[in-house]
Amino acid sequence: EVQLVESGGGFIQPGRSLRLSCTASGFTFGDYAMSWVRQAPGKGLEWVGFIRSKTYGGTTEYAASVRGRFTVSRDDTKSTAYLQVNSLKTEDTAVYYCTGDCGSDGCRGFGYWGQGTLVTVSS
Amino acid sequence: DIVMTQSPDSLAVSLGERATINCKSSQSVLYSSNNKNRLAWYQQKPGQPPKLLIYWASTRESGVPDRFTGSGSGTDFTLTISSLQAEDVAVYYCQQYYSPLRTFGQGTKVEIK
């Protein structure tokens, strides 16, 4: 059974930093690009960034709204993806989901999702 | 960035009737190397993560009921629920994965009339 478990969310003051983790099981993590998607309370889905698999260079892409403040990384030995979020703003308050992106069998949308971790940015 | 625009923002349909959601991309998402559209549809129920329904614009994910059908190509796409069931009440999102900068539509809320 595929599982993605996010952790690291919580209540944090504006301007501070946080690192979110996403631990995977049930599939060959290293073969997949991993994306992060967030959802502000009562709002829609916003893709924030992803990291390619090592096969494709392990490079990253980011939405313009977070570029320069957010960093996605991965540790394939731990089957874990990370989202480093810096200089947090109140508008970063959201549930953050990690998802499986393109895999060894190609790109088929986001078939795997975690349950999400809530980040609340407030003074 | 590729902008995804869904219509309508919400719709109310009677049980057993058809629901149709449209999605338009600001540029083509047709992937030339395999002639497939990099367009997915998701269903999200309250308090749950999204669930992949359709990928490649028209391929149903394993386990998805056949009342869900995706169609379209290039820049215009449609998700059809042929006979709405109570459990289909949810918000539906389209998403393009053609560009490395993935983007979602704003969502369409489907309710029972």
Side-chain angles (χ1 to χ4, degrees), chain B residues 10-102:
Chain B
S10 65
L11 74 161
V13 176
S14 300
L15 287 172
E17 296 299 305
R18 179 186 301 260
T20 301
I21 302 169
N22 299 301
C23 174
K24 189 174 184 68
S25 58
S26 61
Q27 66 185 74
S28 176
V29 297
L30 180 63
Y31 194 53
S32 57
S33 68
N34 62 3
N35 203 38
K36 293 185 176 183
N37 292 277
R38 287 195 164 191
L39 188 285
W41 288 96
Y42 300 87
Q43 175 194 65
Q44 188 179 32
K45 298 180 179 180
Q48 296 183 18
K51 173 188 173 183
L52 177 65
L53 296 177
I54 303 281
Y55 60 92
W56 294 124
S58 60
T59 300
R60 221 174 277 115
E61 175 75 328
S62 176
V64 172
D66 60 7
R67 62 180 181 273
F68 292 93
T69 301
S71 61
S73 184
T75 61
D76 292 281
F77 301 92
T78 300
L79 175 69
T80 303
I81 309 173
S82 60
S83 176
L84 192 74
Q85 304 300 302
E87 61 265 32
D88 301 335
V89 169
V91 179
Y92 293 83
Y93 296 91
C94 62
Q95 178 223 11
Q96 64 79 21
Y97 50 99
Y98 176 90
S99 165
L101 306 184
R102 278 72 162 110

Side-chain angles (χ1 to χ4, degrees), chain A residues 43-110:
Chain A
K43 302 297 185 182
L45 302 172
E46 180 187 16
W47 175 84
V48 297
F50 86 118
I51 185 165
R52 295 177 176 86
S53 66
K54 291 290 195 292
T55 300
Y56 291 93
T59 52
T60 54
E61 305 284 350
Y62 300 96
S65 59
V66 305
R67 196 173 297 138
R69 293 194 301 123
F70 287 18
T71 302
V72 181
S73 59
R74 65 190 299 153
D75 184 341
D76 291 350
T77 66
K78 296 181 179 179
S79 295
T80 299
Y82 302 98
L83 179 65
Q84 177 72 35
V85 294
N86 297 331
S87 304
L88 279 160
K89 306 175 182 180
T90 55
E91 53 263 41
D92 294 321
T93 293
V95 174
Y96 286 74
Y97 296 101
C98 71
T99 78
D101 201 308
C102 299
S104 56
D105 56 352
C107 299
R108 301 181 179 184
F110 296 170

Side-chain angles (χ1 to χ4, degrees), chain A residues 101-122:
Chain A
D101 201 308
C102 299
S104 56
D105 56 352
C107 299
R108 301 181 179 184
F110 296 170
Y112 307 146
W113 291 77
Q115 287 299 311
T117 187
L118 175 63
V119 174
T120 303
V121 184
S122 175

Side-chain angles (χ1 to χ4, degrees), chain A residues 23-48:
Chain A
T23 301
S25 60
F27 66 102
T28 307
F29 180 80
D31 286 348
Y32 279 77
M34 296 299 294
S35 267
W36 287 89
V37 175
R38 69 181 179 181
Q39 187 169 37
K43 302 297 185 182
L45 302 172
E46 180 187 16
W47 175 84
V48 297

